[in-house]
């Protein structure tokens, strides 16, 4: 019975650790990669294709 409680506590601690890491928002690139990204032209927006479930939204 002690092993089951230990597993539950271990999984809860793992879940809390994984949800608490990082910051909210978009990921930030390293400075060198950010500078290289600014030099590239922006890609064209993706084509909006209809999807079979669109009428449900």
């Amino acid at each position: 019975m002690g092993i089951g409680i230990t597993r539950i506590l271990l999984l809860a601690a793992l879940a809390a650790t994984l949800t608490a890491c990082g910051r909210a928002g978009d990921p930030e690139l390293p400075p060198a990669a950010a500078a290289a990204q600014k030099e590239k032209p922006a890609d064209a927006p993706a084509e909006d294709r209809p999807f079979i479930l669109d009428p449900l939204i």
Side-chain angles (χ1 to χ4, degrees):
M1 184 147 153
I3 295 175
I5 293 172
T6 304
R7 274 192 192 163
I8 291 171
L9 290 176
L10 181 62
L11 288 174
L14 179 64
T17 301
L18 291 177
T19 58
C21 65
R23 290 187 282 174
D26 293 335
E28 297 176 8
L29 294 173
Q37 184 100 15
K38 288 180 184 177
E39 294 174 3
K40 287 188 204 175
D43 294 336
E47 179 184 335
D48 188 24
R49 299 182 322 203
F51 184 67
I52 194 166
L53 298 177
D54 280 346
L56 297 175
I57 297 177

